[in-house]
Amino acid sequence: MSAPKKTAAKKPAAPRKTRARKPRPKWDVSDIESWGPERHEPGATIPEAGNSVYNETGGWRTFVPELDPEKCDGCMLCYFYCPDASIIVEDGKAVAVDLEHCKGCGICAHECPAGAIVMRLEEKE
Ligand code: SF4
Ligand code: SF4
């Protein structure tokens, strides 16, 4: 697994703790045509809390936040509003974004009163 990509952070962020990947369950859907209200596979449930670490949702992104830690005043609004817990904080300031999980919703940039985060169209490789 490659190391997490970070936005234009001038200060390197501390490495995030990662857990070993578990094999994903495979559901037998060969007879899905016969399914009805009596039968539901648990595909839409969350059997284990905290499993978002296994799903790198950053690939869904169209726009990417660019964070300038020099402009950050440490209000933490981006941290509290980010639905993906992707704002990386060090010493009371936002310093980077976890791009393995950030979906590019733009909430952080919208909420930031200091103009420290701007959204850019992401160039995909
Ligand atoms: S763009 Fe959305 S998901 Fe990404 S860091 Fe900002 S608030 Fe979080
Ligand atoms: S919302 Fe802006 S000023 Fe507040 S912590 Fe986040 S980046 Fe810093």
Side-chain angles (χ1 to χ4, degrees):
M1 186 170 66
S2 60
K5 290 194 296 181
K6 304 287 187 334
T7 51
K10 295 187 175 138
K11 189 175 171 188
R16 289 171 64 88
K17 288 183 186 169
T18 55
R19 285 185 252 167
R21 283 179 183 277
K22 289 182 181 175
R24 295 186 184 185
K26 290 196 170 86
W27 311 121
D28 179 6
V29 293
S30 57
D31 60 344
I32 196 168
E33 297 298 327
S34 66
W35 291 15
E38 324 69 49
R39 180 176 175 195
H40 295 282
E41 294 292 338
T45 62
I46 300 174
E48 178 193 0
N51 63 12
S52 63
V53 71
Y54 306 126
N55 301 296
E56 295 178 1
T57 49
W60 303 1
R61 199 174 46 238
T62 300
F63 290 90
V64 62
E66 289 183 0
L67 191 155
D68 183 351
E70 298 293 325
K71 292 183 180 174
C72 174
D73 65 12
C75 74
M76 291 296 107
L77 286 175
C78 60
Y79 179 85
F80 289 118
Y81 279 112
C82 174
D84 293 302
S86 294
I87 301 293
I88 298 171
V89 173
E90 283 180 8
D91 300 326
K93 289 201 171 190
V95 296
V97 176
D98 168 10
L99 293 181
E100 286 186 349
H101 295 95
C102 162
K103 296 194 198 79
C105 66
I107 293 173
C108 54
H110 184 267
E111 295 298 330
C112 178
I117 305 173
V118 294
M119 301 301 293
R120 303 261 187 243
L121 187 64
E122 184 169 19
E123 290 182 21
K124 304 278 185 178
E125 293 171 5

